[in-house]
Amino acid sequence: MKKAQILWISHSYATALEGVKKHMHPYCHMIHIVRGTIRFVVDEKDYILKPGYTILIPKNTNHAFYNDGQDAGEYLEVKFSLMNNAFSLQNNNVY
């Protein structure tokens, strides 16, 4: 039985001073930082992620991210839906 459905996998770059405006979607979003430092705003809380850090954003959660630095950022992202309550993200915690 499937517990999750992968919707999107990408290897992306964020040039200096580039970002994604605040938005939300009906699926989970996991981002792993490969290079650079990227600032995330999740439900009005700031998180600074560096290489090796991973953030998991629950579905229906407002979030945005920005490369505030002068160097390009590089990240991997996976967007997925959970099926049959495979596990739950309690209280919209961000990991």
Side-chain angles (χ1 to χ4, degrees):
M1 170 190 291
K2 285 185 178 180
K3 294 189 178 189
Q5 179 182 12
I6 303 296
L7 305 172
W8 173 276
I9 297 174
S10 74
H11 177 202
S12 302
Y13 298 89
T15 59
L17 307 176
E18 181 181 65
V20 175
K21 294 180 181 181
K22 185 166 55 172
H23 65 285
M24 71 168 63
H25 29 72
Y27 45 80
C28 299
H29 194 178
M30 183 171 58
I31 300 173
H32 177 78
I33 307 304
V34 176
R35 183 170 42 118
T37 300
I38 299 177
R39 180 171 63 96
F40 286 79
V41 179
V42 181
D43 277 344
E44 308 306 323
K45 293 180 186 174
D46 280 327
Y47 299 90
I48 305 297
L49 275 68
K50 297 180 180 192
Y53 283 52
T54 299
I55 190 166
L56 175 58
I57 302 164
K59 68 180 183 176
N60 300 321
T61 301
N62 279 316
H63 61 286
F65 56 97
Y66 308 92
N67 179 358
D68 289 337
Q70 296 300 316
D71 298 323
E74 180 180 358
Y75 58 94
L76 305 172
E77 66 179 321
V78 179
K79 297 176 182 179
F80 62 96
S81 292
L82 300 175
M83 304 175 125
N84 303 321
N85 295 319
F87 65 91
S88 64
L89 301 172
Q90 300 292 324
N91 302 317
N92 283 339
N93 287 329
V94 176
Y95 303 96

